[in-house]
Amino acid sequence: MNSAAFASGLPRTMHRELPAGPYAARHARQQTAGLLLAAHGRLCPEGVAADILLIVSELATNAYLHADPPYALTVSVDEGCAGVAVSDASAGIPDRPRNREALSSHGRGLKIIRGLGAELYVSRSGWGKQVIAVLTWQP
């Protein structure tokens, strides 16, 4: 399903299929930025928008690196809350965060998302899973 963001009122939700390759994260960021920019700052403060984009990027990157396609992104933003879900065709659950060296270039994505204050959930289905991050802020 490749539906557009709803045009009026809150919450704003979009669902996009993501390419099954190294451009998945870039595509996810661009689509999410479009949703946030279309609202002219009415959905969330600028700093929160940057956090949402980072969450989107980390989840899409994890899907590309650790799961099977197809991939899909769902983003929903309401007053004081955003949900980001990336779906994939793998049933495997993400590993618990391990202690990584500070300068390591891999394995810190979920820790970064938690560091932004987001809650993380995994929902399994018969065809794969969704990794979901929920970020809240004071409106």
Side-chain angles (χ1 to χ4, degrees):
M1 180 163 124
N2 235 359
S3 63
F6 295 111
S8 62
L10 293 174
R12 301 276 242 166
T13 301
M14 71 166 196
H15 180 79
R16 297 284 190 271
E17 294 175 7
L18 297 177
Y23 300 108
R26 181 175 74 177
H27 183 78
R29 281 190 309 273
Q30 289 171 340
Q31 295 298 310
T32 303
L35 171 72
L36 297 173
L37 289 172
H40 305 290
R42 291 186 305 260
L43 290 176
C44 60
E46 188 175 323
V48 172
D51 290 349
I52 293 169
L53 290 173
L54 180 55
I55 290 168
V56 163
S57 185
E58 292 296 335
L59 290 181
T61 297
N62 280 355
Y64 166 66
L65 291 175
H66 305 292
D68 297 325
Y71 311 120
L73 168 70
T74 303
V75 178
S76 183
V77 184
D78 199 350
E79 187 174 340
C81 181
V84 176
V86 173
S87 304
D88 62 61
S90 297
I93 300 297
D95 291 334
R96 286 262 185 227
R98 295 175 285 242
N99 289 333
R100 300 281 183 176
E101 293 188 25
L103 299 178
S104 174
S105 63
H106 297 290
R108 299 175 308 167
L110 298 180
K111 191 172 185 177
I112 289 169
I113 292 170
R114 284 189 183 98
L116 294 171
E119 296 289 329
L120 279 169
Y121 305 93
V122 178
S123 177
R124 288 186 182 182
S125 69
W127 51 264
K129 69 177 172 304
Q130 277 191 324
V131 180
I132 305 158
V134 178
L135 183 66
T136 60
W137 64 91
Q138 288 293 335

